Amino acid sequence: MSSTTNTPTHQTSTIGSIGAPSRRNTELALLIFAVVIPVFAYANVGLALDNQVPTGLLGYGLGLGLLAGVAHLVVRKFAPYADPLLLPLATLLNGLGLVCIWRLDQSKLLQSIHVAGGKATNQLIYTAMGITLFVVVLIFLKEHRTLQRYTYISMAAALFLLLLPLVPGLGADVYGAKIWIQIGSFTIQPGEFAKIVLAVFFAGYLMVKRDALALASRRFMGLYLPRGRDLGPILVVWAISILILVFETDLGTSLLFFGMFVIMLYVATERTSWIVFGLLMSAAGAVGVASFEPHIQVRVQAWLNPMHEYLLSRDPKATGVHSDQLQQALWAFGSGGTLGTGWGQGHSELIRFAANSDFILATFGEELGLAGLMAILLIYGLIVERGVRTALAARDPFGKMLAVGLSGAFALQVFVVAGGVMGLIPLTGMTMPFLAYGGSSVIANWALIAILIRISDTARRPAPAPAASPDAEMTQIVRPGGSGPVAEA
């Protein structure tokens, strides 16, 4: 008869580094869907227009998939703990934008006025350039806090970019707005890159000055009023935004510039009074400039009377708005109904000028309907939400402010473009991020996504565990009778 030995069994475990899921496999699975959905949309457009699958479908799918795959591998290598949703969401929007631009390229009307034709190929090249910049940012920007060193250099760089279109011989007047620079056949919109550089400056400045800006001298009607000397920064930014509006007649950049600063100021100080002051000052500035600037007056009149047939000049280069552009956009939304006419079966090409850039959202509204348009806006909302979530998770004040600034700028741009096309606010001349045709926009927004990914990687990266020491080892004694372990040092 065998006897049971009651000698305890010793199991030793050593405290190691604390692990955290990287979620890269989740990102890869979402990226597959983000590529497959636009490929199916591309095939759908071809079948609707010509009753056959487009000949370029394979090349489009491989090109978009290759670019997304390269971006994913770089994130997996250089930002393994980054947010898993930002890259797939941006890829999905970019892919759908390519499909819509190709759909408008097939329009004979747009080809006849040189608005369409080969634009989708150009946009794919711009996308490749944007993802290249995305890769460069992630590889060389090892730590987002490095940008804090360049706070005032960022301010100078932003002012330089904003003033470039005013340089004689370099700036170009496109549809009434002086927001482009042209070198030969190459054009670029510096304001798209200036918003990122400005976010760096505002984050660095407000991180240092937030305590002074949060102080209040008195309370009036439930609001804490800031001290007079602390109004200086917001007055300077307000004045610069007004100057941009006056000299470049660029309502969109002016709204984006000032709005981003007010959002970051509110987040830094938690003072509602700054929001109130910001709204009052922006309204005063817009009304003041609109009282003497013809370009702004035209846009306001088009907003107030969008169905007036002969309200505006028929020359879009003189006014920046064609007489029936906004009419056609509103009719496109209306004809789309709830579920839309279907890919390739709408008539948004009647918008003509800027149909594939400023007004591209009207094509989505007509061919995908209210349901599809809400899905597009939801994707934008998710990008903003992940950016704000990154700000909440960031461990340093600069990272929090920078993530909020970039997310706020992205949200403001979506709002002013969508609001202008839908008739909620006057047209601003900006382009919908990732969807609209334009190299400057898509390249700059890929850089924006890269910085948010870098901040989220730093925020979600697990802190290294302290090195194990002999005193920290825990020995567990497991009793054969099945009773719980007894820990002893």
Side-chain angles (χ1 to χ4, degrees):
M1 183 176 179
S2 61
S3 60
T4 303
T5 304
N6 292 328
T7 304
T9 302
H10 295 272
Q11 296 178 345
T12 304
S13 63
T14 304
I15 298 176
S17 61
I18 302 173
S22 67
R23 306 296 296 276
R24 298 281 63 83
N25 291 335
T26 301
E27 179 183 83
L28 179 60
L30 292 173
L31 267 179
I32 293 173
F33 281 102
V35 173
V36 168
I37 291 173
V39 168
F40 274 102
Y42 194 172
N44 199 338
V45 172
L47 291 170
L49 293 176
D50 302 318
N51 292 319
Q52 62 181 4
V53 176
T55 56
L57 179 64
L58 181 61
Y60 169 76
L62 290 177
L64 184 61
L66 179 62
L67 291 174
V70 169
H72 168 72
L73 291 176
V74 171
V75 173
R76 183 179 285 269
K77 173 67 176 178
F78 295 97
Y81 296 101
D83 189 289
L85 292 182
L86 286 171
L87 178 59
L89 291 171
T91 302
L92 178 57
L93 286 173
N94 204 158
L96 291 174
L98 283 165
V99 172
C100 193
I101 293 168
W102 182 82
R103 176 259 178 277
L104 293 171
D105 273 348
Q106 312 313 305
S107 168
K108 301 299 182 183
L109 173 61
L110 296 183
Q111 290 176 13
S112 66
I113 58 176
H114 308 292
V115 174
K119 302 297 185 183
T121 302
N122 293 341
Q123 186 74 351
L124 188 59
I125 295 173
Y126 296 147
T127 300
M129 295 171 63
I131 291 183
T132 300
L133 183 57
F134 173 92
V135 169
V136 169
V137 170
L138 286 181
I139 291 177
F140 291 99
L141 184 63
K142 304 292 185 182
E143 175 61 56
H144 68 270
R145 284 185 285 260
T146 305
L147 297 175
Q148 187 179 349
R149 304 173 189 170
Y150 307 103
T151 296
Y152 291 98
I153 294 177
S154 299
M155 178 188 68
L159 292 176
F160 173 76
L161 289 172
L162 291 172
L163 294 175
L164 266 181
L166 298 178
V167 177
L170 188 62
D173 190 331
V174 180
Y175 296 142
K178 304 178 183 68
I179 58 176
W180 298 85
I181 59 173
Q182 185 170 1
I183 304 174
S185 59
F186 179 76
T187 59
I188 190 171
Q189 189 175 347
E192 290 285 350
F193 301 92
K195 68 183 180 185
I196 299 176
V197 184
L198 279 172
V200 174
F201 165 65
F202 290 154
Y205 176 81
L206 292 175
M207 191 195 72
V208 176
K209 301 292 185 179
R210 60 179 179 175
D211 290 336
L213 293 171
L215 295 176
S217 59
R218 66 179 63 87
R219 186 171 181 176
F220 177 73
M221 296 180 64
L223 294 176
Y224 288 97
L225 301 180
R227 298 180 302 181
R229 65 175 179 268
D230 295 328
L231 282 173
I234 195 170
L235 290 175
V236 170
V237 175
W238 176 75
I240 293 174
S241 65
I242 295 300
L243 290 176
I244 293 173
L245 186 58
V246 171
F247 291 104
E248 297 185 3
T249 60
D250 182 15
L251 182 60
T253 300
S254 181
L255 280 173
L256 179 64
F257 178 27
F258 187 67
M260 178 173 62
F261 179 70
V262 172
I263 289 173
M264 296 178 71
L265 187 60
Y266 170 71
V267 171
T269 62
E270 300 181 11
R271 295 294 187 188
T272 310
S273 54
W274 286 116
I275 294 288
V276 175
F277 276 112
L279 291 174
L280 292 175
M281 293 176 70
S282 60
V287 171
V289 174
S291 64
F292 65 85
E293 175 55 53
H295 179 78
I296 304 301
Q297 291 174 355
V298 165
R299 290 187 178 271
V300 172
Q301 289 300 318
W303 169 57
L304 294 175
N305 303 279
M307 296 302 171
H308 198 299
E309 184 66 28
Y310 301 103
L311 177 66
L312 305 177
S313 168
R314 300 290 297 185
D315 182 9
K317 293 183 179 180
T319 64
V321 183
H322 204 280
S323 64
D324 59 353
Q325 272 185 307
L326 190 55
Q327 292 178 24
Q328 295 291 349
L330 295 176
W331 284 331
F333 286 121
S335 64
T338 303
L339 299 179
T341 60
W343 276 113
Q345 300 181 58
H347 299 283
S348 59
E349 67 269 11
L350 295 175
I351 298 172
R352 289 171 287 182
F353 299 98
N356 56 8
S357 54
D358 296 11
F359 287 90
I360 197 169
L361 201 64
T363 301
F364 284 95
E366 182 176 13
E367 301 190 354
L368 301 184
L370 178 62
L373 187 61
M374 291 305 296
I376 295 292
L377 295 178
L378 179 61
I379 296 172
Y380 281 118
L382 283 173
I383 292 178
V384 175
E385 185 272 337
R386 301 311 291 188
V388 174
R389 188 183 182 93
T390 295
L392 292 174
R395 299 166 185 162
D396 62 293
F398 177 77
K400 290 180 180 293
M401 292 302 304
L402 182 57
V404 165
L406 294 175
S407 303
F410 192 86
L412 277 174
Q413 187 165 352
V414 172
F415 169 75
V416 297
V417 176
V421 175
M422 295 178 184
L424 180 64
I425 60 175
L427 287 167
T428 59
M430 300 186 74
T431 55
M432 206 69 173
F434 293 115
L435 289 184
Y437 176 74
S440 303
S441 178
V442 73
I443 294 172
N445 282 298
W446 272 115
L448 184 149
I449 294 294
I451 297 174
L452 284 177
I453 285 179
R454 170 55 66 209
I455 299 173
S456 70
D457 174 66
T458 304
R460 298 177 72 248
R461 187 183 303 150
S469 62
D471 294 336
E473 293 185 353
M474 303 295 295
T475 304
Q476 291 184 338
I477 303 176
V478 180
R479 304 184 186 277
S483 58
V486 177
E488 62 180 16

